[in-house]
Amino acid sequence: MIETVATTPFEGQRPGTSGLRKKTPVFQQPHYVANFVQSIFDCLEGFEGATLVVGGDGRFYNREAIQIVVKIALANGFGRVLVGRGGVLSTPAASNVIRQHGAFGGVVLSASHNPGGPHGDFGIKYNVANGGPAPEKVTEAIFSRTKEISQYRILAAPDLDLDNLGVLRFGAQTVEIIDPVADYAALMQKLFDFDRVSALFKSGFRLKFDAMSAVTGPYAARIFEEMLGAEPGSVLNATPLPDFGGHHPDPNLVHAKHLFDLAMTADGPDLCAASDGDGDRNLIIGRGRFVTPSDSLAIIAANAHLAPGYAAGVKGVARSMPTSRAADKVAEKLGVAAFETPTGWKFFGNLLDAGMATICGEESAGTGSDHVREKDGLWAVLMWLNIVAARGESVDAIVTGHWAEYGRNYYARHDYEEVDAAGADALVKALRDALPTLKGETFGALRVSGADDFSYHDPVDGSDSTHQGLRVHFDDGGRIVYRLSGTGTAGATLRVYIERYEPDPARQHLETGAALADLIALSRELAGIERFTGRTAPSVIT
């Protein structure tokens, strides 16, 4: 039986770059999840009898929310709902399931790399038929609907058994509980040379992959240990936990410092790696060498042809604007297009669908390709394993060799987390107002060559995105970028990106902080960060 439930709108249900994210207790309010999910379906057309994919990263409240999503989907007319066993699907795996099964779309429950638990974060986003996040015109329509909603439809039925594979029938409609790993593992086998990587492990190559008690544990255990033969125990924290074991599932040098420390020991593993809460981010550290996400993107683009799935070469390389320009140098040498987009994986979708780009990446540890329409943490680790196996070189040798050939982009990101939103907005407004006056200004040895507020014209659909980040460029090729992030759930996060290009191999081995010291100091002075936010130092440096 289908129930129609009267409701009233909740304020603030506006999806950010990766869906709607709030603190978990907000989502636990009666009708909150139902309102948002019904608003999604109210903005869609032509899904009667179609397939919907549903899954999440296993965080606290994931199971309860999935019950609501599935029952509303059935009440609204979807004919078939595919759900990952236990309610679990990594974000890239969900994208793959949507694509492999010809689904109409998918509802993904995750707050990505943000903490989980009763007082942690939660999130919901809608992915469209290509497997990627809904475009802005859809998310804006959803937001508009959330402000008007007066009722939702839901199936009145006992909670579904999410833990046993099989088909549940509701008249002509079905809910299928699927193995969350199977389709994804099969895709990885097509893309990478599993025999070669297996031989690498047989030769004594050692991997430590930290799943961070998050969604990638089952995927990593099956692929790295069972299928590729990495020694037992290569995958750490492989069991997904609702609160991620009390840890912050963000694979950076703060929350995964133990991996960095391990990799820097003389007898450390050959490769240390990690992924985040929902499996779309990655951390790559070779013995003695941390690989920045921007460098990783460039090196993957330069070496992708070594993997069977990319043997024909790449069609183009795309990066988010704040990501270092290292990948641009690779694209130039390959003779393919380099695209600079706003932050948010959804902006890559059109380029991938149009066959204009093959490899994409963001400085926030997201890397991927045209195999799905999300960034993909395990894919990045497998690509690195494939590159190392094919080249027969260490991670360190591959990185330093890349710098010698293409030049090094010294790069750092300074995050000022949970700052007062009003202060952050005031900082951005003041800096934006000052941009036209900056060209030609000198600050010590630095001279401003240009400054702008980044905008993007989509070459595929002709849409325009404005106010995507403030950029200050310098004569020596350096730049500073300021951007407010939309992925947090409390206050605002100010991200400051600092970059300098160094073509001289003799100067490519400086400590990053030293190489960027003058730009780092100027980044704080130019924007008045202490004056507007009260912060004298960033919360996290990557």
Side-chain angles (χ1 to χ4, degrees):
M1 186 180 79
I2 295 173
E3 290 184 349
T4 299
V5 181
T7 189
T8 55
F10 289 89
E11 288 188 12
Q13 286 194 325
R14 181 175 210 150
T17 55
S18 297
L20 178 67
R21 291 186 188 168
K22 303 285 184 183
K23 291 296 183 184
T24 304
V26 175
F27 277 94
Q28 289 178 296
Q29 297 175 89
H31 311 302
Y32 192 89
V33 170
N35 273 26
F36 188 70
V37 173
Q38 182 67 60
S39 295
I40 293 173
F41 298 154
D42 284 349
C43 294
L44 307 178
E45 296 179 351
F47 59 82
E48 184 74 26
T51 298
L52 181 75
V53 174
V54 180
D57 60 15
R59 70 180 56 228
F60 185 85
Y61 198 57
N62 185 66
R63 284 175 171 269
E64 294 87 346
I66 282 178
Q67 297 286 350
I68 298 170
V69 174
V70 173
K71 292 173 185 178
I72 291 179
L74 294 172
N76 278 268
F78 280 97
R80 180 184 182 218
V81 182
L82 302 179
V83 185
R85 180 171 51 198
V88 168
L89 273 177
S90 77
T91 293
S95 179
N96 180 53
V97 172
I98 292 170
R99 294 167 63 81
Q100 292 292 325
H101 292 268
F104 187 90
V107 176
V108 180
L109 294 88
S110 171
S112 188
H113 57 291
N114 293 344
H119 304 290
D121 298 341
F122 198 81
I124 302 178
K125 71 172 180 175
Y126 179 70
N127 281 23
V128 294
N130 74 348
E136 284 186 287
K137 63 183 180 183
V138 175
T139 57
E140 284 301 298
I142 293 168
F143 175 52
S144 295
R145 180 60 184 156
T146 68
K147 296 186 287 187
E148 303 167 348
I149 189 168
S150 60
Q151 63 182 36
Y152 61 84
R153 294 179 296 283
I154 188 166
L155 184 70
D159 281 350
L160 291 72
D161 176 4
L162 302 177
D163 295 313
N164 291 296
L165 301 179
V167 178
L168 307 172
R169 301 190 182 278
F170 299 87
Q173 298 169 297
T174 62
V175 176
E176 186 174 346
I177 309 302
I178 63 171
D179 179 341
V181 180
D183 286 342
Y184 180 84
L187 176 62
M188 294 302 106
Q189 281 187 294
K190 294 177 183 176
L191 298 178
F192 300 110
D193 190 338
F194 271 38
D195 290 340
R196 198 168 209 170
V197 176
S198 293
L200 179 70
F201 283 122
K202 284 182 180 140
S203 74
F205 186 94
R206 290 181 298 146
L207 167 73
K208 284 294 181 187
F209 177 86
D210 192 347
M212 307 190 87
S213 301
V215 76
T216 57
Y219 298 82
R222 188 177 304 180
I223 293 172
F224 295 142
E225 295 186 8
E226 296 176 24
M227 298 174 71
L228 291 172
E231 63 183 20
S234 294
V235 179
L236 309 174
N237 299 309
T239 302
L241 300 174
D243 65 348
F244 306 120
H247 301 297
H248 193 145
D250 189 353
N252 61 33
L253 296 185
V254 173
H255 302 298
K257 185 177 183 298
H258 60 286
L259 279 183
F260 177 84
D261 292 343
L262 180 62
M264 295 303 134
T265 59
D267 62 345
D270 298 284
L271 177 64
C272 288
S275 189
D276 68 329
D278 67 330
D280 64 358
R281 299 188 182 208
N282 70 87
L283 174 69
I284 304 291
I285 314 174
R287 185 187 300 132
R289 174 65 62 191
F290 164 64
V291 186
T292 70
S294 293
D295 277 349
S296 183
L297 169 64
I299 292 167
I300 285 174
N303 292 276
H305 65 280
L306 299 173
Y310 306 90
V314 301
K315 300 170 185 174
V317 181
R319 64 169 175 84
S320 63
M321 180 274 287
T323 302
S324 97
R325 292 168 288 186
D328 300 9
K329 299 288 185 183
V330 174
E332 182 181 359
K333 185 164 185 175
L334 292 176
V336 299
F339 298 94
E340 183 178 43
T341 75
T343 295
W345 203 260
K346 59 190 174 186
F347 291 102
F348 295 140
N350 282 350
L351 299 173
L352 295 170
D353 285 346
M356 298 170 70
T358 304
I359 304 294
C360 303
E362 298 178 332
E363 51 69 37
S364 55
T367 326
S369 81
D370 55 1
H371 69 291
V372 292
R373 294 299 181 267
E374 293 277 6
K375 47 188 179 259
D376 189 345
L378 283 184
W379 173 91
V381 179
L382 284 164
M383 178 64 86
W384 268 96
L385 287 169
N386 201 122
I387 292 169
V388 169
R391 292 184 55 154
E393 295 179 289
S394 69
V395 172
D396 180 57
I398 291 169
V399 171
T400 55
H402 184 91
W403 292 342
E405 182 174 356
Y406 295 94
R408 179 178 183 182
N409 290 70
Y410 285 104
Y411 182 88
R413 187 182 92 187
H414 290 202
D415 291 354
Y416 298 81
E417 296 180 335
E418 297 190 2
V419 299
D420 177 70
D425 288 340
L427 180 153
V428 169
K429 182 181 185 306
L431 185 57
R432 181 179 284 126
D433 291 345
L435 290 177
T437 69
L438 289 178
K439 185 174 181 179
E441 289 286 313
T442 57
F443 302 89
L446 296 166
R447 182 177 183 276
V448 178
S449 60
D452 64 2
D453 189 348
F454 178 63
S455 60
Y456 176 68
H457 177 75
D458 192 302
V460 179
D461 66 14
S463 62
D464 292 290
S465 300
T466 58
H467 301 307
Q468 296 297 315
L470 309 181
R471 305 187 295 183
V472 182
H473 299 276
F474 299 91
D475 284 348
D476 67 354
R479 67 172 184 161
I480 302 171
V481 175
Y482 301 86
R483 177 178 164 270
L484 292 182
S485 171
T487 59
T489 60
T493 295
L494 173 67
R495 304 198 194 280
V496 184
Y497 312 85
I498 303 114
E499 179 180 7
R500 168 171 281 143
Y501 178 66
E502 181 52 71
D504 182 1
R507 294 185 53 79
Q508 289 175 354
H509 300 279
L510 304 175
E511 192 275 322
T512 299
L516 297 174
D518 55 345
L519 285 166
I520 290 171
L522 181 58
S523 72
R524 299 172 187 179
E525 172 193 339
L526 198 62
I529 289 176
E530 182 177 1
R531 177 160 53 96
F532 284 105
T533 71
R535 303 291 179 85
T536 58
S539 313
V540 178
I541 297 176
T542 305

